[in-house]
């Protein structure tokens, strides 16, 4: 979203709305170095919008300059990959006549090299929990090996690493009460769905 904010400039206002309180919103702001995005949060369940699910990797909500909804949910990244982002840009162009400026597109493409997770220069960011960082490195190693040697054996290793990591992460989230586990509309429930989608891709 930060990349979009830089590409579209003042023509589009991007909001990252955290449904898990100020602390998580602030941490996301630091983690993703949000400057071109308005980073905000919903202070309590009473402020939760009716009729909208938690989106994130599952899609985006788009409204026009008057606040009318153009899309209640765009395509999900975990189902459509990069086409999900293209979908958002198509909606902005078709319904709002907004496209990124040519100069901004070129600058963004130059920056992509170091930000690409497949780049040699990319570094896995820390989540601040040593066991999770170690598991992320194991998952990254399994995925890297699969890219070098794409076969059934390396895919199996990826699936085993991801499954084990996801189960451990979900258990830690439950123990910490992070994301309101047990509630159907919660950051925890959405995160578990994202894990399921990733495993379905494999």
């Amino acid at each position: 979203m930060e990349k979009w904010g830089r590409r579209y400039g003042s023509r589009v206002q991007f909001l990252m709305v955290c449904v898990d309180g100020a602390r998580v919103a602030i941490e996301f702001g630091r983690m993703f170095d949000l400057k071109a995005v308005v980073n905000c949060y919903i202070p309590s369940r009473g402020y939760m919008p009716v009729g909208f699910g938690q989106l994130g990797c599952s899609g985006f909500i788009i409204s026009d300059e008057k606040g009318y909804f153009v899309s209640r949910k765009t395509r999900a990244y975990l189902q459509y990959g990069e086409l999900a982002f293209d979908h958002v840009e198509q909606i902005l162009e078709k319904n709002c006549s907004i496209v990124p400026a040519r100069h901004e597109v070129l600058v963004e493409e130059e920056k992509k090299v170091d930000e690409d997770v497949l780049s040699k220069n990319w570094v896995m960011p820390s989540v601040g929990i040593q066991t999770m960082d170690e598991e992320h490195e194991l998952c990254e190693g399994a995925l890297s090996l699969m890219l070098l040697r794409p076969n059934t054996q390396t895919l199996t290793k990826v699936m085993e690493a991801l499954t084990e990591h996801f189960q451990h992460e979900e258990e830690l989230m439950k123990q910490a009460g992070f994301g309101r586990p047990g509630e159907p509309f919660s950051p925890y429930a959405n995160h578990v769905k994202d894990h399921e989608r990733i495993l379905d891709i494999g």
Side-chain angles (χ1 to χ4, degrees):
M1 199 178 294
E2 178 67 15
K3 290 179 186 179
W4 271 331
R6 292 193 311 255
R7 289 179 65 202
Y8 283 91
S10 61
R11 289 161 295 162
V12 178
Q13 181 64 74
F14 291 91
L15 303 173
M16 182 177 285
V17 184
C18 179
V19 297
D20 205 25
R23 185 179 56 81
V24 175
I26 291 167
E27 190 56 38
F28 268 47
R30 285 186 193 130
M31 188 183 305
F32 298 111
D33 194 26
L34 299 178
K35 291 184 175 78
V37 171
V38 174
N39 185 26
C40 52
Y41 64 95
I42 295 175
S44 68
R45 301 236 351 124
Y47 290 94
M48 199 69 74
V50 177
F52 292 91
Q54 182 185 343
L55 301 177
C57 287
S58 301
F60 297 91
I61 300 168
I62 302 175
S63 66
D64 64 17
E65 68 277 0
K66 294 179 182 175
Y68 295 112
F69 291 107
V70 175
S71 174
R72 292 172 67 92
K73 182 179 182 214
T74 61
R75 291 180 181 159
Y77 175 75
L78 292 173
Q79 290 175 305
Y80 293 92
E82 293 295 321
L83 293 176
F85 299 132
D86 293 343
H87 184 230
V88 171
E89 293 181 7
Q90 289 166 7
I91 291 171
L92 289 172
E93 183 173 359
K94 180 181 176 188
N95 295 285
C96 307
S97 301
I98 300 172
V99 294
R102 185 72 190 134
H103 172 71
E104 291 164 344
V105 172
L106 291 174
V107 169
E108 192 58 42
E109 289 303 315
E110 289 171 10
K111 289 181 180 178
K112 260 187 184 176
V113 177
D114 288 339
E115 294 176 352
D116 184 353
V117 297
L118 297 177
S119 165
K120 293 177 185 174
N121 299 328
W122 187 78
V123 177
M124 174 82 70
S126 171
V127 296
I129 299 170
Q130 186 176 350
T131 56
M132 288 292 99
D133 287 343
E134 290 168 0
E135 288 179 22
H136 288 159
E137 286 179 19
L138 289 173
C139 292
E140 181 186 18
L143 288 162
S144 295
L145 182 61
M146 187 182 72
L147 288 173
L148 289 172
R149 288 183 274 171
N151 58 45
T152 307
Q153 185 180 5
T154 56
L155 175 61
T156 300
K157 287 191 184 297
V158 166
M159 294 301 290
E160 288 171 353
L162 290 175
T163 301
E164 187 175 322
H165 167 62
F166 291 161
Q167 289 171 348
H168 185 215
E169 183 177 78
E170 290 165 18
E171 187 56 39
L172 285 178
M173 290 173 77
K174 275 187 197 174
Q175 289 171 6
F178 180 82
R180 298 189 308 274
E183 295 183 28
F185 178 69
S186 70
Y188 173 82
N190 193 59
H191 202 75
V192 169
K193 284 181 188 171
D194 288 343
H195 286 168
E196 290 168 356
R197 286 189 193 103
I198 291 168
L199 293 175
D200 285 345
I201 290 168

